Amino acid sequence: MSAATLPSPLLSARNITKRFGGRIACHNVNFDLWPGEVLGIVGESGSGKTTLLNCLAGRLTPDAGSVIYETASAGTVDIHRLSEARRRLLTRTEWGFVNQDAREGLRMGVSAGANIGERLMAVGARHYGEIRGSAADWLARVEIDADRLDDRPTTFSGGMRQRLQIARNLVSGPRLVFMDEPTGGLDVSVQARILDLLRGLVERLHLSAVLVTHDLGVARLLTHRLMVMQGGAVIEEGLTDQVLDDPQHAYTQMLVASILPV
Amino acid sequence: MYVAVKGGETAIAHSLDLIADRRRGDRDLAELSLEQIDQQLGLAVDRVMTEGSCYDRRLAALAIKQARGDLIEAIFLLRAYRTTLPRFGDSEPLDTARMVAERRISAAFKDVPGGQVLGPTYDYTHRLLDFSLAVAADRPAAPTAPADTAHGLPHVGDILAREGLLEPSPAASSERPADLTRQPLGFPADRPLRLQNLARGDEGFLLALGYSTQRGYGNNHPFVGEIRYGHVPVAFVPEELGFAIEIAEIDVTECDMVNQFAGSHDVPPQFTRGYGLAFGHAERKAIAMALVDRALRARELAEGADSPAQDEEFVLAHSDNVEASGFVQHLKLPHYVDFQSELVVVRALRAEVEARQQAAEEHAALAQAAE
Amino acid sequence: MPDINMTEGAYNYAYLDEQTKRMIRRAILKAVAVPGYQVPFGGREMPLPYGWGTGGIQVTAAIIGRDDTLKVIDQGADDTTNAVSIRRFFAHVADVATTTRTEEATIIQTRHRVPETPLKDGQILVFQVPIPEPLRMLEPRETETRTLHALSEYGVMQVSLYESIARHGRIAKSYSYPVQVNGRYIMSPSPIPKFDNPKLDRSPALQLYGAGREKRIYAVPPYTPVKSLDFDDHPFEIERWTECCAFCGSTESFLDEMIVDDAGKRLFVCSDTDYCEGRR
């Protein structure tokens, strides 16, 4: 009879610090992310939020601290101590990364179907019809017209490329998705639809996510918890609604106050 | 009735006879001597030695004669010959500070210790065709001045480096640099390997890349710190002796480039270096090489590296003109089997497309008729 | 008139010096030990240009001996100019017997074809390879392709095949058709037509692949599985002709198409000249 095990965090950041030359990009960041949680990191440009995200996602190596991840079936791992092979495999299967610029997260030279099917093919899918079927299925889920399956992302609008990037990431059923300003640079109405889509997918698929944004409206809509960064440090954190409705730190108050009422 | 064509062997033999005949040309004209090529086409000889990676004026002249003036072909000949030569070891690094310089200039300073020595250069010629060269005639010898600038010219770079304004020359390493003529090129490549690749690299390619940096594709604000041309001794330590002896004197052209660098939080700003070296008198090559050398240091100096000249794999993989010439020209070899395969595919695809279009038309016609 | 300019110093047997041969043989051993893996080697400048078969020549020069019988073919024929040139080179520098008969050869150096006559245990097939990296056209960077091979990350290759089907309705690759060797490395079989790919699978012969300009050697030991990449519902298929060879009547071999008059009349003839002659 096994002892009751406490649930453990999906992702833990311990004292993450990253410098570029003499400049401190982020300093001593700590948090735990639980399964099904969406954590938002907000701040202005230069606050260090993107650097932090890249350290968490294994794209940058922090100068100090560690990122601990609970894998699906292989226990807990320290992301930056993994071999490159295992880290790359992780990013292709259990994780997703949605870039602000969809072009960085897509193969622009191949069709939408190929883009979505790649993760499946990378882990051994060998039936063209089935791969195509899965890709078509996901195209529908991200609300792109089915007849665009064979079109290349170069012919897609910015919003469509972003949806495609989302589909490409989610097709492998990841447990954790990192998002860097997923709606940045898109028209307001397009943004709204994509946010809606993301919220639906996150709920339905029980995804955990770390979301970086400078837009407090995006944070309000998508995140459960929020960390506010300024000058590389986390100056406030808590439940999203609490932080946004009752900001304690002067900087947070300033951020909240400067949202233009629409 | 079609008969398969044979006779490749005979055709090749005749082809070789033909090129030998064309090379000789009009038998009423005097045949070129190697000495004439070495002396009167000396800059071609310099280039062939540099890119052929072999300092031997006579061999280079022979290669040029055999290649009938095609310098890339001559470089190939010299390199192929070089491969067969036995090796005794490596020389000591050339000490260009000991150069007896015929020419030495600096663009960074108006005057330098040892002076600006113009020497032989085309730089200030007016590019007007000189028809007096069309006929053989007596040519006057140039007057010479006492060679008081010839000895112990300190490098301008060393003077700057002593003040801390210029990064120091990389420290001499006891490790033998990898030899590109013996080992395959691997990436990432360290600076000694990159310089070796560039020294052997095609002058035209490096010229274009260097030029591109000046036009904004990865500009690094170059100044010619120094160019010097003259002869240097080659020192070698034979095993039996255990000390260095001078085994030869060779002509080289050296270029020290001085480039801008923004300091970091911990490192006060310093100029950085680019380096170029060529056999014989080859300033264009040495300068271009220095520009590309500096561009390829972008990663090491934490600069953005997104221009072609800064792309290590792109530059180093395509700088070898013997490799490039071989692969580009190999397209002349028979490819009819590969092409046949493609024909089969294209015909099949066309048939499928036409069949689909046909079916669509019939369908449309039927639909119309039904109305 | 000698076209190979022998100066006063005689060349070593088969042109390469013994150190170089040793270096190449070590590379070959590594290649055989890891089927399909591209082993870097210190390729030398040869008297033939890069692109003309220097890789194949170096491999052959490293393994050939006085008891060997050498056959050299290009596009399947013994008498295309470059095959002639290479055969003469070896006859000269290796003093070795040469043949046009596939059955009699111990070493067959080939450009762009596999002989139609099935090979036997003890024969060596040396391929001339222009681009050894099967992923090169998908990923130009060597640093990245080496990583992809090391990590068995071949998604990008399968994506390119998917894309071909999406665009053309079939995998439209006709030569240099990628294969997986021994269930592990993806390899380029050199620009042989896909028609020849099945001959590589569990061949009794030793296959050696030499890329001189790119400086890579790879190998497939005898009886090794070599599988052409495909999809379960779009299986690999070879080319077929409706015509037969105009000389020997074969319906089984790869046929060259020849335009024989101004009106565009076509004739189909076996590409493998030795195979064709043997049937007439």
Side-chain angles (χ1 to χ4, degrees):
Chain A
M1 168 134 141
S2 61
T5 40
L6 292 169
S8 41
L10 185 66
L11 186 76
S12 294
R14 294 281 170 267
N15 300 322
I16 304 292
T17 303
K18 180 70 182 170
R19 267 175 244 113
F20 292 110
R23 187 172 63 82
I24 300 215
C26 64
H27 185 65
N28 268 343
V29 177
N30 286 275
F31 68 84
D32 287 325
L33 180 75
W34 298 86
E37 244 199 325
V38 179
L39 173 70
I41 307 173
V42 295
E44 296 172 314
S45 9
S47 58
K49 53 192 198 294
T50 299
T51 303
L52 175 60
L53 189 73
N54 285 326
C55 286
L56 296 173
R59 293 182 165 197
L60 274 181
T61 310
D63 294 313
S66 46
V67 180
I68 314 291
Y69 171 72
E70 172 94 41
T71 64
S73 50
T76 319
V77 295
D78 179 334
I79 291 303
H80 295 285
R81 284 206 166 59
L82 280 181
S83 67
E84 196 189 348
R86 284 195 68 196
R87 193 168 44 242
R88 282 167 75 126
L89 184 62
L90 203 61
T91 54
R92 273 201 328 267
T93 51
E94 292 186 38
W95 284 4
F97 197 111
V98 179
N99 296 279
Q100 178 172 3
D101 185 346
R103 284 174 295 192
E104 286 171 36
L106 291 173
R107 289 194 189 275
M108 298 301 284
V110 300
S111 65
N115 266 285
I116 299 174
E118 179 164 358
R119 282 194 177 198
L120 301 173
M121 291 186 261
V123 294
R126 286 293 176 269
H127 193 281
Y128 175 81
E130 283 170 13
I131 295 164
R132 193 179 169 82
S134 299
D137 180 52
W138 270 98
L139 217 58
R141 287 207 235 183
V142 297
E143 294 165 27
I144 297 179
D145 246 343
D147 60 10
R148 306 304 303 265
L149 187 64
D150 293 327
D151 291 345
R152 288 189 213 154
T154 45
T155 66
F156 286 12
S157 68
M160 284 171 70
R161 286 179 193 171
Q162 200 53 291
R163 292 161 193 282
L164 182 61
Q165 195 193 175
I166 292 166
R168 178 174 155 87
N169 273 279
L170 297 185
V171 71
S172 64
R175 302 161 78 223
L176 173 59
V177 183
F178 299 95
M179 298 193 244
D180 185 5
E181 308 271 13
T183 55
L186 297 173
D187 283 347
V188 171
S189 59
V190 175
Q191 276 195 44
R193 285 183 58 196
I194 291 186
L195 287 174
D196 228 17
L197 176 72
L198 277 173
R199 193 169 56 155
L201 287 170
V202 164
E203 265 176 40
R204 246 174 288 130
L205 304 173
H206 306 293
L207 291 177
S208 313
V210 180
L211 167 74
V212 155
T213 182
H214 67 275
D215 186 333
L216 296 183
V218 171
R220 170 92 73 182
L221 198 60
L222 288 182
T223 68
H224 303 109
R225 275 200 300 140
L226 209 55
M227 282 187 344
V228 183
M229 287 187 76
Q230 185 197 22
V234 177
I235 50 112
E236 185 160 357
E237 59 187 301
L239 295 177
T240 301
D241 287 339
Q242 278 178 0
V243 172
L244 293 182
D245 292 336
D246 186 19
Q248 299 297 303
H249 194 283
Y251 178 71
T252 320
Q253 290 165 354
M254 191 267 303
L255 277 184
V256 171
S258 55
I259 301 175
L260 297 169
V262 179
Chain B
M1 153 79 177
Y2 180 82
V3 177
V5 174
K6 282 190 180 287
E9 200 146 346
T10 328
I12 290 183
H14 286 160
S15 176
L16 298 172
D17 289 342
L18 273 173
I19 58 168
D21 181 47
R22 295 274 184 282
R23 179 195 306 142
R24 180 59 185 86
D26 187 344
R27 301 308 197 264
D28 289 336
L29 300 172
E31 184 172 330
L32 282 174
S33 73
L34 300 188
E35 292 76 13
Q36 281 176 310
I37 295 173
D38 173 7
Q39 288 289 302
Q40 296 170 38
L41 297 178
L43 298 180
V45 169
D46 291 344
R47 181 176 170 195
V48 170
M49 291 195 302
T50 300
E51 294 176 28
S53 296
C54 183
Y55 196 101
D56 187 316
R57 299 196 71 84
R58 193 179 154 76
L59 285 178
L62 174 60
I64 292 170
K65 180 175 178 180
Q66 184 171 337
R68 211 178 152 202
D70 180 337
L71 293 188
I72 294 181
E73 182 65 31
I75 289 162
F76 182 10
L77 283 167
L78 188 55
R79 284 213 201 154
Y81 185 71
R82 179 191 189 282
T83 305
T84 67
L85 297 172
R87 289 161 174 248
F88 301 118
D90 303 325
S91 72
E92 296 296 289
L94 294 181
D95 184 0
T96 52
R98 293 181 54 204
M99 179 188 286
V100 177
E102 271 198 67
R103 174 165 154 74
R104 190 274 212 129
I105 54 149
S106 170
F109 294 95
K110 183 159 179 180
D111 207 351
V112 284
Q116 304 262 23
V117 183
L118 195 63
T121 174
Y122 281 89
D123 287 349
Y124 302 101
T125 61
H126 296 158
R127 270 62 169 191
L128 302 167
L129 280 177
D130 182 353
F131 290 95
S132 76
L133 291 171
V135 290
D138 277 331
R139 313 279 177 207
T144 47
D148 56 344
T149 58
H151 306 281
L153 288 170
H155 278 102
V156 173
D158 292 344
I159 299 167
L160 282 174
R162 246 179 276 130
E163 260 193 79
L165 286 169
L166 177 63
E167 63 175 350
S169 260
S173 162
S174 56
E175 229 186 271
R176 203 177 161 281
D179 184 343
L180 276 179
T181 65
R182 301 252 129 188
Q183 293 149 263
L185 178 63
F187 301 104
D190 62 12
R191 193 166 176 213
L193 197 66
R194 295 199 303 258
L195 284 169
Q196 198 185 131
N197 178 296
L198 297 180
R200 282 158 62 82
D202 182 76
E203 180 174 326
F205 181 64
L206 295 185
L207 180 64
L209 288 174
Y211 178 45
S212 76
T213 67
Q214 291 179 278
R215 293 193 69 256
Y217 289 86
N219 195 312
N220 43 55
H221 299 113
F223 289 90
V224 167
E226 180 162 2
I227 287 184
R228 56 173 67 192
Y229 159 66
H231 52 262
V232 287
V234 179
F236 180 75
V237 181
E239 247 186 283
E240 305 90 334
L241 292 182
F243 55 83
I245 54 170
E246 278 181 19
I247 56 169
E249 216 171 50
I250 62 173
D251 283 349
V252 296
T253 305
E254 182 188 55
C255 173
D256 277 317
M257 197 69 78
V258 176
N259 307 85
Q260 192 73 47
F261 177 57
S264 78
H265 186 260
D266 310 301
V267 181
Q270 280 188 317
F271 292 109
T272 50
R273 291 174 183 265
Y275 188 75
L277 187 71
F279 287 150
H281 196 183
E283 293 177 18
R284 189 187 306 115
K285 170 66 184 275
I287 298 174
M289 179 174 160
L291 286 173
V292 178
D293 170 47
R294 176 58 181 80
L296 290 176
R297 295 183 63 206
R299 194 175 25 101
E300 168 203 333
L301 295 169
E303 297 166 347
D306 45 17
S307 304
Q310 298 169 316
D311 184 334
E312 181 179 284
E313 277 202 43
F314 181 77
V315 173
L316 302 183
H318 304 117
S319 61
D320 186 320
N321 55 27
V322 176
E323 287 182 15
S325 171
F327 200 43
V328 162
Q329 295 201 79
H330 106 289
L331 294 172
K332 292 181 283 190
L333 288 181
H335 282 78
Y336 54 82
V337 166
D338 326 351
F339 189 63
Q340 183 66 56
S341 294
E342 292 279 82
L343 277 176
V344 170
V345 168
V346 168
R347 282 182 177 140
L349 291 176
R350 287 178 64 86
E352 282 164 22
V353 171
E354 275 156 24
R356 273 197 296 275
Q357 282 172 347
Q358 176 96 322
E361 274 165 34
E362 281 165 15
H363 187 84
L366 272 172
Q368 256 205 344
E371 275 162 28
Chain C
M1 119 159 247
D3 53 302
I4 293 164
N5 187 12
M6 307 288 264
T7 57
E8 60 290 335
Y11 291 97
N12 195 34
Y13 183 78
Y15 182 77
L16 295 175
D17 58 274
E18 290 304 310
Q19 296 281 37
T20 303
K21 284 190 205 170
R22 204 171 301 159
M23 179 270 298
I24 293 174
R25 287 179 196 141
R26 273 194 222 116
I28 292 174
L29 286 174
K30 271 192 206 157
V32 169
V34 190
Y37 167 73
Q38 301 164 54
V39 180
F41 79 107
R44 300 287 189 256
E45 244 104 27
M46 300 295 285
L48 279 79
Y50 293 113
W52 259 248
T54 56
I57 291 169
Q58 287 179 85
V59 168
T60 298
I63 62 174
I64 201 165
R66 292 187 206 281
D67 295 334
D68 277 302
T69 304
L70 177 69
K71 172 177 162 84
V72 183
I73 48 173
D74 183 346
Q75 313 292 294
D78 300 89
D79 67 343
T80 45
T81 41
N82 208 40
V84 167
S85 175
I86 294 172
R87 193 168 55 245
R88 292 175 77 203
F89 174 75
F90 279 112
H92 210 134
V93 301
D95 185 29
V96 72
T98 62
T99 183
T100 58
R101 309 247 61 219
T102 303
E103 299 96 50
E104 288 171 14
T106 56
I107 299 175
I108 301 166
Q109 181 168 327
T110 178
R111 178 169 171 269
H112 297 188
R113 281 247 41 219
V114 178
E116 303 287 357
T117 312
L119 298 176
K120 297 190 296 272
D121 204 319
Q123 288 183 302
I124 301 178
L125 190 55
V126 178
F127 290 84
Q128 296 174 204
V129 181
I131 307 265
E133 176 51 70
L135 308 174
R136 182 58 68 229
M137 301 309 164
L138 305 171
E139 174 49 69
R141 265 145 229 287
E142 171 72 4
T143 41
E144 182 61 14
T145 51
R146 282 189 83 78
T147 304
L148 295 177
H149 281 293
L151 304 181
S152 237
E153 272 185 34
Y154 291 129
V156 65
M157 174 58 86
Q158 208 65 29
V159 163
S160 80
L161 298 179
Y162 171 104
E163 194 66 7
S164 190
I165 299 173
R167 200 177 314 178
H168 300 295
R170 59 162 71 194
I171 297 174
K173 204 139 172 59
S174 62
Y175 59 90
S176 295
Y177 194 104
V179 297
Q180 187 162 40
V181 179
N182 208 29
R184 178 55 178 89
Y185 282 94
I186 289 192
M187 177 188 102
S188 165
S190 84
I192 56 176
K194 63 178 178 169
F195 183 84
D196 286 340
N197 277 23
K199 301 185 177 82
L200 308 179
D201 185 26
R202 284 162 295 182
S203 168
L206 167 64
Q207 301 165 45
L208 299 178
Y209 295 80
R213 186 182 44 85
E214 298 276 344
K215 301 183 178 44
R216 299 284 186 274
I217 286 174
Y218 48 102
V220 178
Y223 304 108
T224 305
V226 175
K227 184 179 181 310
S228 298
L229 302 184
D230 60 9
F231 286 90
D232 298 340
D233 52 339
H234 279 84
F236 173 77
E237 269 178 3
I238 61 174
E239 298 95 321
R240 298 206 188 279
W241 285 258
T242 50
E243 302 84 352
C244 67
C245 172
F247 289 168
C248 75
S250 172
T251 52
E252 307 292 305
S253 70
F254 189 97
L255 301 180
D256 291 334
E257 182 175 331
M258 305 218 258
I259 302 175
V260 290
D261 63 27
D262 286 347
K265 173 154 181 276
R266 282 172 164 71
L267 206 67
F268 289 83
V269 175
C270 287
S271 138
D272 186 331
T273 49
D274 174 56
Y275 170 84
C276 194
E277 274 165 39
R279 284 169 53 88
R280 287 190 240 153

